[in-house]
Amino acid sequence: MNVLKFGGTSVGSAKNINKVIDILEQYSKKSKVIAVVSAIGGVTDKLLACGYNAQLKDNTYISDFNNIKDIHFNILSELIPNTPQDISDKLQTKLNNLKSLLDGIYLINELSPKTSDKLVSFGELLSSFIITEAIKSRQLKAKRKNSQELIITNSNFTKAEVNYNISYNNIQLYFKNTKETITILPGFISKSTLGEITTLGRGGSDFTAAIVAAALDVEQLEIWTDVSGMYTANPKLVKQAYPIAHLSYQEAMELSHFGAKVLYPPTIQPILDKSIPLVIKNTLKPEAKGTQITKAYTSNTLSVRGISNVDNIALLTLEGSGMVGIPGFSKRLFETLANHKINVVFITQASSEHSICFGVNAFEAELAKTVIDANFTYEISQHKINPILIENDLAIVALIGDNMKNHQGISGKMFSALGKNNINVRAIAQGASEKNISAVIAKKDVKKALNTLHEAFFEIKTKQLNVFITGVGNVGERLVEQIKQQKKYLKDTLKINLRIIGLSNSRTMVFDTDGLPLKNWKMLLKNGDPASLDGFFNQTKAFNKRNSIFVDITANKDVANLYSKYLKESIAVVACNKIACSDTFNTYNELKYLSRKYNAPFLFETNVGAGLPVIDTLNNLIASGDKITSIQAVLSGSLNFVFNNFNDTTKFHDVVKQAQQEGYTEPDPRIDLSGVDVARKILILARESGTTMELEDIANTSFLTKNNLESNTVEDFYNTLIDDEAHFQKLFTQAKDNGCKLKYVAEFNNGKASVGLKEIPQNHPFYNLEGKDNIVMFYTQRYAEQPMIIKGAGAGADVTASGLFADIIRIGND
Ligand code: ADP
Ligand code: ASP
Ligand code: MG
């Protein structure tokens, strides 16, 4: 004998019901089969909504009813084309009864729990009728038995308690005498000892199947649903979740108690008592192995077996000095709750006994407060305790596993992963059995928390990075292309799943919560929404994704001003924009502080030397205990280009013009030639070396003439360069006569920094610097005689993009 249960989705359409029948056909070739069926997917909710409207005297209940009627007739006619009249008539009669009940509810303006059970029972009564007829129409032998005649309960409507003795007897007796190959039982519904219609609680068809399986002591119970087993986390919220091959009864029970809806929690008890294995299978994918749930099972690989969540929790706190050391407070508290049938999902008590904190389902919070405050009226009036405090909009996430107690550091890892992603934990509970560690968090953070924990405990090998890029111009385009090209390599080799979630240039912005498809990203961006800096921030924040990284590839002060907002949301910032780090020391320092406080990396390697690993090297030197004594560097690609090409056969004006035309200078070349850009770079290196310094503190002796510096427009400036050609030629000749070349040098020595044009002698490392190359020499305590030198291309879209890329990967490797 096999007992199979098919849930709402499995019987949600004619197509799926045919799949169910295929499965039953296969099974019935080997032995007798009992199939417990749910109402057609969504019908229970529809019945309740319809009854609710009727009770409000809202006429829409009639259209709600017609909708329910259509659903059933449509499925019937699809399953049995040219449905014989007697079958249609029978369905119509049942629906007429439902309509009469609804009219009654409308008339008396009331929907009691008792009537509600009568109302929802139609769901399973109708589905089991249709399914049985469909099976018969496929020339298979099947009979429907109303499980209300078998499963007997008390009168606790909407969630009745089963009388196992009577029910088991009924079931055994019935199946001893039946010869049917396939028996269809409606799930969920039952009758009280007084003959009233009752139900076993929402999701209760699983329970019906377990009761039948236990009564008949079958070899195995199968629950067929719309997913391939019990997953490591709710697959609708965690994409990377996967089915767990094997679980113990306890683990399955904890997972379902803490929200894994795939199994109704009371289901386990009857089969556990008889050690009947339970298998969860997928009706839509019968070949998938599913999940096996049996007695003790020890996984030798993972101690955390699953993660679950319960939404809509309220946290209640009973607090007061009058509680300390006085026994009986908890007893009274929980007795009061039990007397009012309020389910407590979560308890923690501080060891000071000054407060007890517990979680209940949100809809019961007000009732809980009222009854507890009433019970403690005297103590409250004496100010020994405070009235109950309610916190709403909370949820629970829980790690579950039998074997967690044998592994250290699980809670540490759990809370550090949550903390790193800015998920605030309001309360924590860990059962003494250590099969469960639960945390109460804000409801809005549930998805992020589940994904964070799933990544920490189940995807140890892959880390997902969610990147939001603003400023997709020349460099940005290169970055997106590099990411596109490297995506597979990163996943396979570095176990980093890098996704671009948001992209923006100055005109448009575009987002995709699952990662933008990079094949046609330009098109997507072009057709995106109008760009806005605040809009971009708000959207990035709203996604609330773990490991979010904001990448700034603009040179815009307004964007730099937003870094603090990103960091405060624990969103990492990667920038090639120098403005923030070369702003006031306070601004720089504040960003560093926020980065530490919110566990959000702030990386800006490309501020100095584009893709060259200058800042990272400097940080590593300092982190390993070295001290910077001096930095000497050529940090401007544009000035290098200018002085490498200027000589006694060229004109200074022409060389600058060429540099501008070839894209080595800013549109306004004065920014480069005045040395401000280089000053900003050495300022950043000085600050990273541990010095408090402002831009004004940097000595900047300009090689330009007063005339050049005072020019009003770029055009004027170029004219003054022509006028002052002699001045530049003089600089060149003097250097040449001294056997030197001109280089624009930045220096940092004993806490002081300067920038300026220098004559570099032949034996100096700067002498042979080519093209747009940069060079940085670090003299430190350890590199005292020979400096550590970093040299290479210090400008260009490709190398700058790869520097940004390296910062992103650095976060991934964290
Ligand atoms: P049925 O109608 O078959 O009884 P349910 O809707 O009651 O199905 O349960 C299946 C659903 O449970 C899945 O579609 C999934 O959304 C949800 N679910 C929540 N947590 C889990 C989990 N850990 N594993 C599998 N499914 C889960
Ligand atoms: N139809 C009922 C419900 O939706 C019972 C079940 O499907 O298990 O809750
Ligand atoms: Mg269910």
Side-chain angles (χ1 to χ4, degrees), residues 37 51 91 135 166 199 234 321 324 426 434 471 493 507 509 549 615 754 762 778:
V37 297
L91 181 60
I135 299 175
I166 307 178
T199 63
N234 184 348
S321 51
V324 182
R426 274 291 300 111
E434 288 188 44
T493 316
R507 293 173 299 280
M509 59 184 190
I549 305 173
I615 294 175
S754 64
Q762 210 163 5
F778 289 117

Side-chain angles (χ1 to χ4, degrees), residues 169-416:
N169 256 328
N170 290 345
I171 296 165
Q172 285 158 1
L173 201 66
Y174 177 77
F175 284 100
K176 206 160 107 191
N177 296 324
T178 180
K179 302 205 168 32
E180 287 314 319
T181 331
I182 302 175
T183 306
I184 303 295
L185 296 178
F188 179 52
I189 57 177
S190 42
K191 262 196 185 146
S192 74
T193 36
L194 303 174
E196 306 139 319
I197 292 179
T198 54
T199 63
L200 302 178
R202 291 305 307 272
S205 296
D206 298 346
F207 193 22
T208 306
I211 296 165
V212 174
L216 301 175
D217 212 348
V218 295
E219 266 180 34
Q220 168 166 304
L221 164 65
E222 297 180 16
I223 303 248
W224 289 74
T225 181
D226 62 344
V227 286
S228 299
M230 205 156 201
Y231 278 59
T232 45
N234 184 348
K236 302 237 161 82
L237 298 177
V238 179
K239 270 220 166 133
Q240 332 284 342
Y242 54 86
I244 310 165
H246 205 152
L247 283 169
S248 74
Y249 290 128
Q250 266 73 21
E251 287 170 334
M253 200 135 59
E254 290 281 338
L255 276 168
S256 66
H257 263 295
F258 278 87
K261 182 183 168 223
V262 65
L263 196 64
Y264 180 50
T267 309
I268 299 288
Q269 199 57 52
I271 54 166
L272 183 150
D273 292 342
K274 304 236 166 149
S275 300
I276 300 170
L278 163 63
V279 187
I280 301 180
K281 298 273 290 174
N282 189 347
T283 308
L284 316 175
K285 225 173 145 192
E287 68 286 0
K289 275 190 82 172
T291 299
Q292 274 259 339
I293 299 166
T294 57
K295 253 197 323 209
Y297 169 77
T298 346
S299 150
N300 32 22
T301 46
L302 287 168
S303 48
V304 178
R305 310 302 316 288
I307 305 167
S308 57
N309 61 296
V310 192
D311 292 351
N312 300 319
I313 292 290
L315 205 57
L316 278 68
T317 308
L318 182 70
E319 197 171 15
S321 51
M323 286 166 62
V324 182
I326 298 173
F329 265 92
S330 319
K331 181 169 175 279
R332 266 172 74 194
L333 170 67
F334 292 112
E335 233 167 40
T336 312
L337 292 167
N339 288 342
H340 291 84
K341 294 202 163 52
I342 297 167
N343 188 25
V344 177
V345 235
F346 181 97
I347 308 172
T348 53
Q349 179 170 21
S351 53
S352 71
E353 293 181 32
H354 184 257
S355 71
I356 304 175
C357 186
F358 59 98
V360 300
N361 289 311
F363 71 91
E364 290 180 320
E366 282 301 332
L367 173 64
K369 176 178 164 59
T370 311
V371 296
I372 296 165
D373 285 351
N375 192 296
F376 288 97
T377 313
Y378 173 73
E379 286 82 357
I380 293 173
S381 71
Q382 297 295 305
H383 301 294
K384 287 191 169 148
I385 62 167
N386 303 329
I388 285 273
L389 200 80
I390 305 183
E391 282 172 80
N392 277 310
D393 294 326
L394 298 172
I396 293 177
V397 285
L399 295 186
I400 281 134
D402 281 349
N403 211 16
M404 292 199 306
K405 58 181 176 298
N406 300 326
H407 286 76
Q408 300 201 324
I410 292 178
S411 2
K413 188 167 166 183
M414 174 180 188
F415 297 113
S416 95

Side-chain angles (χ1 to χ4, degrees), residues 5 7-8 38-40 42 44-45 120 124 187-188 201-206 264:
K5 177 259 170 177
S38 286
I40 286 167
T44 310
D45 287 337
V120 288
E124 269 70 7
F188 179 52
R202 291 305 307 272
S205 296
D206 298 346
Y264 180 50

